[in-house]
């Protein structure tokens, strides 16, 4: 029986976070720190004709003003991403054009306003809509159809076709991106907000021509990231450059506005989708064609249509994602990248098909249930989606739904119910962990992973305590530092599956090592036992099936003159996984109430049921799912980055005009799990959940809005004016 796994555990770092003891990148105290402030440009495309920094340089406290004229060249190799102050070229509006470094933040900010720039402007294009004719399939591989989608579409007895749009969106974490860089000779230490310390290290080592050993990246706490810190943005190299040139530590923090061009965004996405079906509801053809924007200098592709191939059983299919170049900064991954966008279109189209067929939308999904992976034909490692549909429908009371739009009311409010499917991969990547088991009955566990909020500190502590036979308070887990063993970026919802498997493996390696020590003694009570037969519990190494036979680990270490033993273990995805399709699934049931006079949509109920392997910590898992729901409400009803295309400039680069849900928008929604006992995905049966929980929400809300109002809004966000 597990003592901790599967039971609620409060965040081990929770008190540190609410008392301010948890240090975020910009909060580290470094002596003799200078402060950098970015000055950003005012045109979308062209070159800098002249830049006058004399006034800024004379301002109080200013140490140096860096521009493209006096910034050393970085070694960027083949990396096409944006590096600041490397040339006079302007690639997007609000591009950094100067970094002012001063004794205080206020002095640097003031002086940044004194930098005068003149430009040679060039015609720019930032509107994806007007560039559609130039859409291209990225890379060299043409998307391959399954079966014969064109022919099947032609002959399908029932068809729907529609076009869907999603506005650009920004991650907007609470913590602004920030770095503090400081050099000792050729050794660089950088405190950075990142989802991958090793990624930042590789990046900076290359930029400055250093050996990776000479770069230490520290990032113990991240105040939200959602993909915005998956790759190094332009500020760490800029900060490190300034610190190197000035021979003193430098800190750079984005302002809220600078965040809008500082790390990427969910791209503007246009999707055409056509579905063909038999009268029974069985899908015979799916053609899904997405286009989204990228920048003029770098290809970013979120694979909008990638989930389409694996959600429903359908023999004929084509799913394409194309790109158009825009004079904007490069988009990036944003929570459930591609999947939430693609599934918005697919799930709404399925709802449209349900109305065409007069089949209940939930029933239509069951008719097309994929019993095996429709793409590869492989069996699922586990898939409890059918149970998700069943439990969700039962809890929601779906049976009482009347099909006709505008048929359900609450007084003068229109009531609508919608359903959608969620899907995300059950990924795992190589990850390493170091466990130190001490004679004093404590353990130190470390891995260079990240915790951007899901509860990684807590779940790793839990797994270590479970398999080292310790109490959670006897385990200290540390992350976010390149001094620790390598771990993948915290992205793709793979951390618990990857790093958790490594913690588990490292704990078992400790057990094995202790057993070897014990059995070096001819009188060992564990003689002849194999590593699999023993376990650690409360400081004893004991036989699983006869706990009265044990050795005390502390005695064992003492006899060997050891204060502790340590093991570094790397977990890898198993070969067995390749024989299966591995995904996590969910179903979301949504109720909205719409005010017919003012078009205001209120999400009054959500039941989200997810099947995502073993639930390690129900408490933090539940928070993850609620977070996804809130994100889905934002995406469906509020969030949009708006560009004035005359200037190619983002207009709502602040939290006043970029709307995100606030507490007043959010009611008490329900998230439940159907646990899957998945022996294939990894030893602990873990699938990720942090992105899955968002995937179906916007579609379910849009379908509920249609059911309430009879109006099919095919463009997110569904703001009141679109309903009037
Ligand atoms: Mo996420 S978009 O996997 O950080």
């Amino acid at each position: 029986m597990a003592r901790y796994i599967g039971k609620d555990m409060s965040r081990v770092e929770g008190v540190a976070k609410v008392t301010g003891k948890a240090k975020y990148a910009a909060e580290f105290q470094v002596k003799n720190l200078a402060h950098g402030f970015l000055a950003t440009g005012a045109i979308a495309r062209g070159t800098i004709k002249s830049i006058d920094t004399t006034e800024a340089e004379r301002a109080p406290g200013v140490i140096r003003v860096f521009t493209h004229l006096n910034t050393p060249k970085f070694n960027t190799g083949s990396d096409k991403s944006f590096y600041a102050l490397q040339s006079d070229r302007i690639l997007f509006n609000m591009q950094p054009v100067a970094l002012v470094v001063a004794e205080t933040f206020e002095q640097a900010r003031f002086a940044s306003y004194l930098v005068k720039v003149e430009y040679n402007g060039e015609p720019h294009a930032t509107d994806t809509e007007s560039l559609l004719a130039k859409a291209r399939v990225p890379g060299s591989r043409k998307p391959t159809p399954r079966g014969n989608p064109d022919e099947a579409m032609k002959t399908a007895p029932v068809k729907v076709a529609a076009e869907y749009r999603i506005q650009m969106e920004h991650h907007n974490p609470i913590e602004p991106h920030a770095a503090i860089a400081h050099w000792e000779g050729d050794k660089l230490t950088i405190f950075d907000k990142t989802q991958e310390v090793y990624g930042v290290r590789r990046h900076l080592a290359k930029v400055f021509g250093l050996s990776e050993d000479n770069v230490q990246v520290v990032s113990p706490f991240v105040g939200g990231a959602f993909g915005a810190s998956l790759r190094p943005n332009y500020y760490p190299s800029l900060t490190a450059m300034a610190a190197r040139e000035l021979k003193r530590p430098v800190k750079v923090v984005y302002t809220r506005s600078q965040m809008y061009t500082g790390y990427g965004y969910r791209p503007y996405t246009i999707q055409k989708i056509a579905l063909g079906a038999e009268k029974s509801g069985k899908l015979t053809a799916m053609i899904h064609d997405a286009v989204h924007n990228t920048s003029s200098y770098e290809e970013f592709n979120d694979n909008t249509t990638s989930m389409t191939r694996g959600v429903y059983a359908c023999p004929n299919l084509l799913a394409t994602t194309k790109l158009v170049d825009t004079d904007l900064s490069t988009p990036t991954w944003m929570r459930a990248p591609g999947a939430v966008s693609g599934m918005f279109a697919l799930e709404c189209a399925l709802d449209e098909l349900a109305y065409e067929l007069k089949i209940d939308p939930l029933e239509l999904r069951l008719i097309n249930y994929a019993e095996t992976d429709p793409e590869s034909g492989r069996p699922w490692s586990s898939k409890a989606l059918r149970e998700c549909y069943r439990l969700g429908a039962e809890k929601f009371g779906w049976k009482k739904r009347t099909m006709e739009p505008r048929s359900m009311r609450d007084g003068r409010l229109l009531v609508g119910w919608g359903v959608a499917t969620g899907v995300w991969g059950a990924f795992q990547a190589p990850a390493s962990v170091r466990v130190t088991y001490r004679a004093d009955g404590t353990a130190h566990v470390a891995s260079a992973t990240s915790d951007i909020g899901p509860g990684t500190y807590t779940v790793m502590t839990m797994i270590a305590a479970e398999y080292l036979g310790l109490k959670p308070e006897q385990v200290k887990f540390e992350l976010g530092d390149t001094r620790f063993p390598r771990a993948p970026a915290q992205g793709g919802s793979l951390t618990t599956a990857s790093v958790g498997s490594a913690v588990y493996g490292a704990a078992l390696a400790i057990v094995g090592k202790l057993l070897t020590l014990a059995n070096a003694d001819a009188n060992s009570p564990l003689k002849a036992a194999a590593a699999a037969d023993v376990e650690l519990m409360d400081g004893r190494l004991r036989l699983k099936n006869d706990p009265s036979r044990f050795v005390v680990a502390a005695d064992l270490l003492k006899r060997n003159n050891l204060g502790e033993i340590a093991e570094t273990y790397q977990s890898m995805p198993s070969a067995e996984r390749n024989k299966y399709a591995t995904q996590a699934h969910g179903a979301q049931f949504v109720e909205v109430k719409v005010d017919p006079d003012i078009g205001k949509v209120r999400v009054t109920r959500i039941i989200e049921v997810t099947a995502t392997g073993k639930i390690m910590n129900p408490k933090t898992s539940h928070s993850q799912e609620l977070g996804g729901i809130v994100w889905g409400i934002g995406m469906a009803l509020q969030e949009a980055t708006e560009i004035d295309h005359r200037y190619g400039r983002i207009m709502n680069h602040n939290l006043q005009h970029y709307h995100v849900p606030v507490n007043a928008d959010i009611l008490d929604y329900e998230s439940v799990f159907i646990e899957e006992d998945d022996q294939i995905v990894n030893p602990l049966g873990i699938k990720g959940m942090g992105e899955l929980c968002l995937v179906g929400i916007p579609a379910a809300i849009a379908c509920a809005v249609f059911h309430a109002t009879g109006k099919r809004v095919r463009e997110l966000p569904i703001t009141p004016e679109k309903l009037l």
Side-chain angles (χ1 to χ4, degrees):
M1 262 314 275
R3 292 170 307 144
Y4 304 115
I5 288 177
K7 298 183 183 154
D8 284 347
M9 190 182 287
S10 293
R11 285 172 191 273
V12 296
E13 84 289 14
V15 170
K17 276 185 172 166
V18 298
T19 55
K21 284 208 174 74
K23 276 202 170 61
Y24 295 84
E27 298 180 321
F28 282 84
Q29 300 299 308
V30 179
K31 279 208 188 78
N32 196 29
L33 183 68
H35 298 261
F37 194 94
L38 294 160
T40 57
I43 66 165
R45 183 183 172 93
T47 51
I48 296 172
K49 184 158 72 180
S50 67
I51 186 158
D52 180 359
T53 57
T54 41
E55 214 185 321
E57 278 157 2
R58 278 202 295 261
V62 170
I63 303 162
R64 180 90 52 95
V65 180
F66 291 98
T67 69
H68 67 284
L69 298 171
N70 63 348
T71 296
K73 291 287 167 283
F74 297 151
N75 174 22
T76 58
S78 57
D79 182 8
K80 294 258 191 352
S81 69
F82 174 74
Y83 288 84
L85 313 187
Q86 293 295 292
S87 84
D88 61 356
R89 201 68 221 151
I90 296 289
L91 297 165
F92 53 89
N93 211 323
M94 289 185 71
Q95 174 181 321
V97 292
L99 177 71
V100 180
V101 185
E103 296 296 337
T104 72
F105 171 79
E106 289 76 11
Q107 289 170 332
R109 182 175 56 183
F110 174 72
S112 76
Y113 303 145
L114 305 175
V115 174
K116 294 190 187 68
V117 191
E118 284 187 69
Y119 304 94
N120 287 314
E122 294 168 14
H124 64 265
T126 53
D127 185 1
T128 304
E129 298 285 351
S130 68
L131 296 164
L132 279 177
K134 294 188 185 161
R136 64 193 156 81
V137 176
S140 52
R141 268 183 303 155
K142 284 265 165 294
T144 46
R146 182 193 303 159
N148 191 341
D150 288 332
E151 188 56 34
M153 193 62 76
K154 250 185 252 157
T155 55
V158 185
K159 286 175 241 199
V160 293
E163 203 167 303
Y164 299 88
R165 283 175 164 67
I166 302 171
Q167 299 286 313
M168 223 168 117
E169 286 185 296
H170 272 79
H171 315 60
N172 272 305
I174 292 175
E175 182 201 13
H177 291 56
I180 298 173
H182 109 97
W183 294 80
E184 283 164 301
D186 244 3
K187 282 197 188 305
L188 168 63
T189 303
I190 187 159
F191 302 95
D192 184 22
K193 169 184 176 132
T194 177
Q195 294 172 249
E196 190 191 13
V197 286
Y198 272 84
V200 174
R201 178 165 92 161
R202 191 170 54 239
H203 167 81
L204 292 174
K206 197 187 68 185
V207 163
F208 296 103
L210 304 166
S211 112
E212 290 195 16
D213 297 341
N214 277 357
V215 182
Q216 186 191 351
V217 182
V218 183
S219 183
F221 293 98
V222 174
F226 319 108
S229 297
L230 272 174
R231 62 180 199 163
N233 299 301
Y234 69 71
Y235 68 92
S237 53
L238 198 61
T239 310
M241 177 282 299
R244 181 137 131 165
E245 291 302 299
L246 300 176
K247 299 189 168 48
R248 66 186 275 192
V250 171
K251 165 154 84 176
V252 174
V253 186
Y254 283 163
T255 63
R256 180 61 54 180
S257 291
Q258 289 163 359
M259 291 167 78
Y260 281 77
T261 54
Y263 52 69
Y265 49 89
R266 196 187 300 288
Y268 187 100
T269 309
I270 302 163
Q271 301 178 72
K272 284 192 183 136
I273 186 155
L275 301 177
E278 291 166 5
K279 290 230 163 63
S280 65
K282 265 220 161 315
L283 286 166
T284 54
M286 301 164 80
I287 300 177
H288 189 174
D289 183 21
V291 180
H292 73 68
N293 79 294
T294 184
S295 64
S296 64
Y297 53 91
E298 192 183 14
E299 204 162 76
F300 171 80
N301 175 7
D302 79 2
N303 273 312
T304 316
T305 59
S306 64
M307 292 300 172
T308 300
R309 303 187 76 103
V311 193
Y312 298 110
C314 180
N316 305 292
L317 172 153
L318 183 63
T320 317
T321 303
K322 298 187 192 124
L323 304 181
V324 299
D325 298 344
T326 52
D327 295 308
L328 295 165
S329 67
T330 311
T332 194
W333 301 280
M334 179 163 159
R335 198 170 186 174
V340 66
S341 305
M343 289 294 280
F344 162 65
L346 176 60
E347 292 296 283
C348 286
L350 215 68
D351 198 68
E352 302 207 28
L353 181 64
Y355 277 88
E356 196 64 37
L357 289 161
K358 299 191 169 51
I359 293 178
D360 176 86
L362 177 59
E363 181 58 28
L364 184 61
R365 283 160 175 89
L366 289 167
I367 290 169
N368 291 290
Y369 196 82
E371 301 290 351
T372 55
D373 176 17
E375 183 66 10
S376 64
R378 286 178 291 197
W380 303 106
S381 63
S382 60
K383 180 180 179 179
L385 177 58
R386 198 188 295 283
E387 291 71 32
C388 294
Y389 289 139
R390 191 199 55 74
L391 183 66
E394 183 189 300
K395 280 180 161 291
F396 193 83
W398 186 259
K399 259 207 224 122
K400 285 182 261 157
R401 181 181 187 271
T402 50
M403 185 82 179
E404 198 57 32
R406 301 180 75 94
S407 62
M408 293 170 69
R409 303 267 170 152
D410 174 9
R412 48 181 287 280
L413 299 178
L414 303 168
V415 175
W417 288 3
V419 65
T421 307
V423 60
W424 188 254
F427 302 117
Q428 187 184 345
S432 296
V433 165
R434 184 165 180 83
V435 172
T436 307
Y437 184 87
R438 302 190 181 109
D440 68 2
T442 63
H444 183 258
V445 184
S447 175
T449 182
S450 169
D451 186 348
I452 60 176
T456 304
Y457 274 106
T458 312
V459 75
M460 298 309 158
T461 303
M462 169 188 276
I463 297 168
E466 188 74 52
Y467 293 101
L468 293 171
L470 298 173
K471 296 188 180 66
E473 49 274 26
Q474 294 170 308
V475 174
K476 184 169 175 64
F477 177 74
E478 287 192 284
L479 53 69
D481 195 315
T482 47
R483 288 175 311 161
F484 303 144
R486 183 183 291 268
Q490 178 153 77
S493 300
L494 55 62
T495 301
T496 310
S498 307
V499 182
S501 296
V503 172
Y504 170 72
L508 294 194
I510 292 284
V511 168
K513 208 164 184 176
L514 285 171
L515 182 66
T516 306
L517 283 180
N519 286 349
D521 175 359
N523 301 321
S524 167
L526 303 175
K527 206 75 203 167
D533 302 329
V534 295
E535 63 185 2
L536 270 168
M537 185 57 66
D538 298 328
R540 291 174 172 186
L541 186 68
R542 66 186 196 188
L543 272 185
K544 282 182 188 166
N545 62 12
D546 181 5
S548 71
R549 282 173 59 194
F550 65 88
V551 292
V552 175
D555 297 345
L556 193 55
L557 292 175
K558 205 189 248 168
R559 279 208 300 280
N560 288 278
N561 292 318
L562 296 169
E564 60 187 39
I565 51 167
E567 274 291 331
T568 300
Y569 180 90
Q570 185 186 38
S571 66
M572 301 282 284
S574 72
E576 187 71 4
R577 279 173 61 100
N578 299 329
K579 299 181 198 154
Y580 296 84
T582 53
Q583 285 193 327
H585 297 88
Q588 12 275 318
F589 295 80
V590 170
E591 177 186 84
V592 298
K593 291 185 181 169
V594 182
D595 186 319
D597 296 328
I598 58 169
K600 186 178 160 53
V601 178
R602 179 105 181 145
V603 178
T604 46
R605 273 200 304 148
I606 294 186
I607 310 270
E608 170 155 77
V609 189
T610 40
T612 174
K614 171 76 191 165
I615 302 307
M616 305 297 285
N617 183 357
K619 187 172 183 177
T620 47
S621 298
H622 185 246
S623 298
Q624 275 285 289
E625 302 311 88
L626 292 183
I629 287 173
V630 174
W631 264 60
I633 291 173
M635 185 169 182
L637 302 178
Q638 299 180 6
E639 294 188 49
T641 302
E642 306 201 28
I643 296 166
D644 186 330
H645 295 297
R646 292 172 301 170
Y647 309 105
R649 191 173 173 93
I650 295 170
M651 300 312 290
N652 58 344
H653 47 76
N654 53 66
L655 289 176
Q656 181 186 5
H657 295 124
Y658 183 99
H659 292 175
V660 295
V662 297
N663 280 341
D665 298 313
I666 301 302
L667 301 177
D668 189 12
Y669 307 121
E670 193 175 350
S671 151
V672 277
F673 295 104
I674 305 266
E675 284 212 49
E676 295 167 323
D677 181 17
D678 193 321
Q679 313 272 342
I680 304 298
V681 278
N682 47 62
L684 300 178
I686 299 163
K687 297 179 179 178
M689 64 180 63
E691 296 175 276
L692 172 68
C693 52
L694 162 61
V695 172
I697 301 285
I701 293 173
C703 296
V705 169
F706 169 74
H707 184 233
T709 63
K711 187 150 184 184
R712 190 67 79 174
V713 180
R714 299 188 180 89
E715 179 183 319
L716 298 183
I718 304 172
T719 41
E721 77 277 9
K722 292 176 187 163
L723 287 172
L724 290 177

